[in-house]
């Protein structure tokens, strides 16, 4: 959470010698609590009212050392009551002070392609951050990808080589056959879209990632980020199946 104690400091010290000189953070949220609405979760409500560039840099500096920070891929924090327009505007404001960084806009089923194209006029916006809480499917944690990731977003990502960072849901995550089918179909149909499967393909239960990876083999436009994954099994499986260059 937002606390930092001697054990955290010891862990950071122990890992320091194994880190590269330059680190680009591939999964970072910037937000204002006022934009999150009534569904402001405990993680964000227990922290600062504004979690912007200064808060990100301060927190990351404690973990890896400030001299290593080379920028980040930022996105807003999605909640079911989030003011997405305000959240995307705040992201752009923060990016103005971080020329080395890029951002992904929150994208929802109600957003139009034209609205997204307007946001993409900012050269630092590199793509889309969909999230299940915007789906009309209930409960949203069982939502199919198509219910919260619009087809036009795939097409736009393909046309402009944009990023989609996807935190998939459903009980079995990547091992879910519907998730596999939608990922394979859309990634194959839109080969220039750059799909990042967040949290090691939501590998918090690593077996789901291990079991699901074979379905994606051969796809050249899929990457994985390691955000929040603290056990090695899912990460090792990705490296084995896709090579270290696909793990961010």
């Amino acid at each position: 959470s937002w606390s930092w104690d001697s054990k955290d400091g010891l862990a950071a010290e122990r890992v320091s010698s194994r880190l590269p000189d330059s680190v680009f953070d591939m999964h970072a949220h910037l937000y204002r609590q006022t934009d999150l609405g009534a569904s402001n979760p405990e993680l964000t409500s227990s922290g600062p009212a504004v979690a912007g560039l200064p808060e990100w840099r301060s927190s990351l500096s404690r973990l890896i050392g400030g001299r290593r920070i080379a920028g980040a891929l930022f996105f807003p924090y999605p909640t079911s009551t989030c003011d997405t327009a305000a959240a995307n505007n705040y992201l752009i404001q923060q990016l103005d002070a971080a020329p080395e960084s890029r951002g992904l806009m929150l994208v929802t089923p109600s957003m139009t392609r034209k609205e997204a194209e307007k946001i993409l006029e900012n050269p630092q916006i590199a793509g889309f951050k969909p999230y299940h809480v915007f789906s009309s499917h209930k409960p949203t944690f069982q939502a199919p990808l198509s219910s919260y990731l619009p087809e036009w977003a795939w097409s736009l990502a393909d046309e402009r080589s944009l990023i989609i960072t996807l935190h998939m849901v459903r009980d079995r995550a990547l091992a879910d056959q519907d998730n596999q089918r939608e990922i394979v179909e859309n990634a194959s149909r839109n080969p220039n879209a750059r799909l990042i499967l967040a949290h090691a393909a939501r590998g918090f239960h690593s077996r789901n990632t291990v079991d699901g990876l074979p379905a994606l083999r051969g796809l050249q436009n899929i990457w994985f980020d390691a955000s929040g994954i603290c056990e090695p099994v899912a990460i090792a499986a990705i490296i084995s199946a896709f090579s270290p260059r696909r793990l961010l």
Side-chain angles (χ1 to χ4, degrees), residues 12 61 81 87-88 94 125 159 194 222:
S61 293
T81 55
N88 284 332
Q94 293 297 289
I125 297 298
E159 292 169 15
R194 305 179 186 191
I222 291 184

Side-chain angles (χ1 to χ4, degrees), residues 21-243:
D21 292 337
S22 180
V23 175
F24 192 91
D25 184 351
M26 284 301 298
H27 189 127
H29 295 276
L30 301 180
Y31 59 88
R32 299 173 294 196
Q33 289 188 19
T34 53
D35 295 334
L36 303 182
S39 56
N40 186 358
E42 182 180 355
L43 177 62
T44 52
S45 62
S46 64
V50 176
L53 275 175
E55 290 74 21
W56 165 79
R57 183 171 291 277
S58 173
S59 295
L60 195 59
S61 293
R62 290 190 303 188
L63 289 170
I64 68 171
R67 63 181 175 81
R68 287 191 171 97
I69 299 175
L73 181 64
F74 291 116
F75 15 94
Y77 196 103
T79 68
S80 61
T81 55
C82 178
D83 183 337
T84 56
N88 284 332
N89 286 336
Y90 179 67
L91 172 68
I92 291 171
Q93 292 171 18
Q94 293 297 289
L95 288 171
D96 285 342
E100 73 286 355
S101 296
R102 296 293 181 267
L104 303 182
M105 73 177 81
L106 287 184
V107 61
T108 72
S110 62
M111 180 183 282
T112 67
R113 178 181 173 124
K114 183 173 290 187
E115 290 170 333
E117 288 174 333
K118 181 67 176 177
I119 297 173
L120 286 168
E121 291 177 4
N122 185 302
Q124 287 181 266
I125 297 298
F128 305 110
K129 173 61 178 173
Y131 205 59
H132 68 93
V133 294
F134 303 123
S135 172
S136 60
H137 182 101
K138 304 301 178 186
T140 67
F141 208 82
Q142 302 301 329
L145 301 185
S146 57
S147 71
Y148 58 96
L149 178 51
E151 185 175 351
W152 60 257
W154 281 105
S155 299
L156 198 50
D158 182 50
E159 292 169 15
R160 304 193 186 192
S161 297
L162 300 175
I163 294 168
I164 299 171
T165 291
L166 175 64
H167 179 139
M168 76 186 83
V169 288
R170 300 175 71 88
D171 288 340
R172 300 192 66 213
L174 189 58
D176 180 274
Q177 291 187 351
D178 286 337
N179 280 343
Q180 293 173 8
R181 175 184 54 77
E182 290 202 66
I183 289 171
V184 171
E185 288 178 357
N186 285 289
S188 300
R189 189 182 304 122
N190 302 282
N192 296 314
R194 305 179 186 191
L195 179 65
I196 300 174
L197 297 180
H199 312 295
R202 214 187 104 223
F204 297 104
H205 178 59
S206 58
R207 191 76 241 170
N208 288 337
T209 294
V210 172
D211 290 345
L213 283 171
L216 307 186
R217 282 187 174 154
L219 293 173
Q220 300 301 309
N221 55 338
I222 291 184
W223 287 260
F224 306 81
D225 76 40
S227 173
I229 300 298
C230 301
E231 299 295 335
V233 175
I235 292 172
I238 288 166
I239 291 173
S240 177
F242 280 88
S243 90

